[in-house]
């Protein structure tokens, strides 16, 4: 009996030692894919000081709004935006029903497989692509089409599904913020309906917490059933100065935490971090050409120039992907 | 010692009896201001069947979206919409800075106290009122102005603050739905910014769960500070066929539960209750001229005609305020 008690004793001492040991306490690290260092420290300090009862920087739970850009911040955006790859695949799929496309740009070049030439038409070409592939159908039909595409399409360089081209450290950051009472939103230049087709299953962000670029829509009956139909008319371009507007319209208050990776996020970060009280601006800097892609000031996709210059003065935390992240994707590195 | 045990015994028997007694179990009634009857029964049955694990009508928590109209559904709308009363008070307050208003309708009539004449100008007059009182300032300035008004203004007939002109049974319904994993939204023809100034403190509905009519906005710097400025241009009229569109844009999925009180809610109820799976449509019918106001088919505010005719066939539950509600307002009856 005494012996048993002793062994119990030893067991508890070992248990306490384990809890106190730096080696094992890492198991409870909410950001295991982030290397120790200033960046991780800044995030953890901010969350701690804004959520600790009695902290002078305490933010009430309802005001803990965190907004995340998507392309280049939560998932990759190379070689080009994935939504554009969806539109291109869709054009190819729809081509047999549109013989007139063989003589009409940007469709003709896309059908020939010359994406570069198709995109030389700039914004008007892009809008034609969007009108052809994103409008006329009901909202539910569009979502189904995107879901079907995401289930089968593969990234041209990694051969992974696009929903696996997401950044593991950012997933952990989303979870960490939510575990601390933050409400996480996507605020993306990408299409709101496109994002809503996967944001919940991929990031745990429900449709009502997705803000994005949008088209106008109308309500009508089709086959005797009330539906929403997507129209070929822009409602909001949720990029640059459109991001604070989108946030204001959808969320109705300034975020406390905002994360992006490009000049398209400059105004969102500027607005979020100009509010009274504590705030946090985060910029993901694509510095890792080996495990992912390295680009910034001169990139056609995800250009980061103005915002990178503004970061030190604005007090934004810049993530150096190469140094700050242990792993890039949930399945490893590129 | 034995005696003590016995008294304990008796205490527990009494306690069990209390728990089992129908009289006391009413204390746990989540809808105490609703009279027993078909309406209350329909609500409770629906919530029970959509939230019970293993129920054939189970709705996963994330999909439990409930949308509520505001004017006439959550708070009163007589003698006229409260937001219009705000605009009128605001015009009077701003008049000294606008001497030109003395010669300009609808302002001249408002300054003279002749609201009826001012509103004879119809929609253009209304838009002029909105432009003068709801635009040009920052979003934050507008919210402050509304909050200040709500803190001091009184209802012309009851002399109560407008935020107390809310329906106690509907407050209970909101709480009951939320306690059962429903996410409650306002979907109102009223202005989204106006609603957001009080929806959280009054109904427990945070700004990001408010959908309403909206104006366009732009992002700019004022006095070196980034702000959102409200523009005199309509973005969305969240009424009639605009309600399903507003829901689609903001929430991104069909509601499972929708409540309104007028023909302005017809399309919202139609869309919500045309979805696959279980759904619930609720219409508040203003039948109580004694404790509140009685109106429906011919009312200028909150006309209920088409939707009332559609209700039986559509399977919508019609609340008879006179018969179904024990009390109207949190402080009693009018």
């Amino acid at each position: 009996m005494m012996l048993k008690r002793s062994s119990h004793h030893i067991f508890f001492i070992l248990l306490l030692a384990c809890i106190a040991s730096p080696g094992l306490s890492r198991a409870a690290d909410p950001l295991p894919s982030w290397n120790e260092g200033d960046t991780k420290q800044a995030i953890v300090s901010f969350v701690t000081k804004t959520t600790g009862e009695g902290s002078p920087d305490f933010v009430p739970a309802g005001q803990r709004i965190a907004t995340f850009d998507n392309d280049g911040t939560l998932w990759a955006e190379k070689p080009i935006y994935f939504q554009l790859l969806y539109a291109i695949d869709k054009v190819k799929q729809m081509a047999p029903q549109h013989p007139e496309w063989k003589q009409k740009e940007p469709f003709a070049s896309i059908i020939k497989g010359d994406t570069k030439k198709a995109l030389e038409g700039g914004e008007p070409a892009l809008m034609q692509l969007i009108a052809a592939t994103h409008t006329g159908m009901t909202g539910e039909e569009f979502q189904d089409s995107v879901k079907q595409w995401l289930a089968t399409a593969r990234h041209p360089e990694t051969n992974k599904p696009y929903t696996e081209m997401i950044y593991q450290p950012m997933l952990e950051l989303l979870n960490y913020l939510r575990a601390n009472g933050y409400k996480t939103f996507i605020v993306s230049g990408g299409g709101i309906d496109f994002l809503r087709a996967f944001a919940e299953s991929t990031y745990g962000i429900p449709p009502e917490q997705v803000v994005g670029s949008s088209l106008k829509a109308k309500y009508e009956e089709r086959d005797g059933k009330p539906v929403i139909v997507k129209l070929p008319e822009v409602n909001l371009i949720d990029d640059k100065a459109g991001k604070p507007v989108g946030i204001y319209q959808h969320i109705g208050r300034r975020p406390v935490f905002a994360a992006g990776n490009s000049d398209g996020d400059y105004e969102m970060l500027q607005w979020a971090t100009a509010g009274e009280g504590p705030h946090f601006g985060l910029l993901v800097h694509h510095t890792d050409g080996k495990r992912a892609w390295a680009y910034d000031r001169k990139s056609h996709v995800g250009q980061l120039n103005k915002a990178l210059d503004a970061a030190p003065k604005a007090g934004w935390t810049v993530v150096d992907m190469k140094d700050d992240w242990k792993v890039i994707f949930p399945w490893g590195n590129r």
Side-chain angles (χ1 to χ4, degrees), chain A residues 111 166 214 263 324-325:
Chain A
I111 293 164
I166 54 180
S214 58
D263 284 357
D324 287 326
W325 288 0

Side-chain angles (χ1 to χ4, degrees), chain A residues 91 95-96 98-112:
Chain A
V91 163
H98 294 271
E100 76 280 9
W101 282 356
K102 278 186 188 151
Q103 273 80 45
K104 200 183 166 197
E105 290 295 355
F107 307 103
S109 292
I110 284 176
I111 293 164
K112 281 184 215 140

Side-chain angles (χ1 to χ4, degrees), chain A residues 89-210:
Chain A
D89 283 356
K90 201 77 194 170
V91 163
K92 288 176 183 165
Q93 184 196 319
M94 293 164 76
Q97 282 82 54
H98 294 271
E100 76 280 9
W101 282 356
K102 278 186 188 151
Q103 273 80 45
K104 200 183 166 197
E105 290 295 355
F107 307 103
S109 292
I110 284 176
I111 293 164
K112 281 184 215 140
D114 192 347
T115 306
K116 210 180 155 198
K117 195 178 166 207
L119 297 179
E120 276 168 9
E123 213 166 286
L126 206 62
M127 274 314 295
Q128 274 186 287
L129 267 188
I130 295 292
T133 57
H134 284 59
T135 74
M137 73 285 282
T138 70
E140 279 148 1
E141 285 162 356
F142 178 73
Q143 291 252 328
D144 287 346
S145 166
V146 174
K147 280 180 187 167
Q148 218 175 329
W149 180 76
L150 288 171
T152 53
R154 293 291 179 271
H155 188 275
E157 297 182 34
T158 64
N159 205 35
K160 294 280 179 188
Y162 290 104
T163 48
E164 292 182 21
M165 295 298 296
I166 54 180
Y167 300 131
Q168 175 61 26
M170 296 304 280
L171 286 185
E172 293 167 8
L173 177 54
L174 287 172
N175 282 327
Y176 176 50
L177 287 169
R178 288 194 287 254
N180 282 282
Y182 276 85
K183 207 163 178 176
T184 54
F185 290 80
I186 288 175
V187 177
S188 167
I192 191 167
D193 296 353
F194 185 83
L195 290 152
R196 283 172 169 166
F198 66 93
E200 186 153 36
S201 54
T202 305
Y203 306 127
I205 296 179
E208 63 270 23
Q209 284 163 228
V210 174

Side-chain angles (χ1 to χ4, degrees), chain A residues 46-67:
Chain A
F46 181 78
V47 171
T48 306
K49 80 175 182 181
T50 54
T51 57
E53 289 280 353
S55 154
D57 290 314
F58 181 76
V59 176
Q63 289 167 35
R64 292 180 203 156
I65 302 291
T67 55

Side-chain angles (χ1 to χ4, degrees), chain A residues 23 75 153 244:
Chain A
W75 77 358

Side-chain angles (χ1 to χ4, degrees), chain A residues 205-282:
Chain A
I205 296 179
E208 63 270 23
Q209 284 163 228
V210 174
V211 183
S213 294
S214 58
L215 299 167
K216 291 206 183 291
K218 76 171 172 181
Y219 176 73
E220 66 175 40
E221 285 206 8
R222 280 196 177 181
D223 307 323
K225 222 193 146 183
V227 292
I228 297 290
V229 175
K230 287 165 65 65
L231 302 177
E233 196 189 333
V234 169
N235 183 54
L236 173 73
I237 300 294
D238 191 51
D239 195 32
K240 298 196 169 74
K243 286 206 175 193
V245 171
I247 293 170
Y248 178 73
Q249 288 176 341
H250 279 259
I251 309 177
R253 41 188 164 194
R254 269 184 218 244
V256 167
F257 188 107
N261 77 298
S262 78
D263 284 357
D265 303 308
Y266 176 77
E267 286 85 355
M268 172 170 77
L269 265 70
Q270 198 184 33
W271 192 54
T273 61
E276 280 168 35
H279 43 70
F280 197 92
L282 186 96

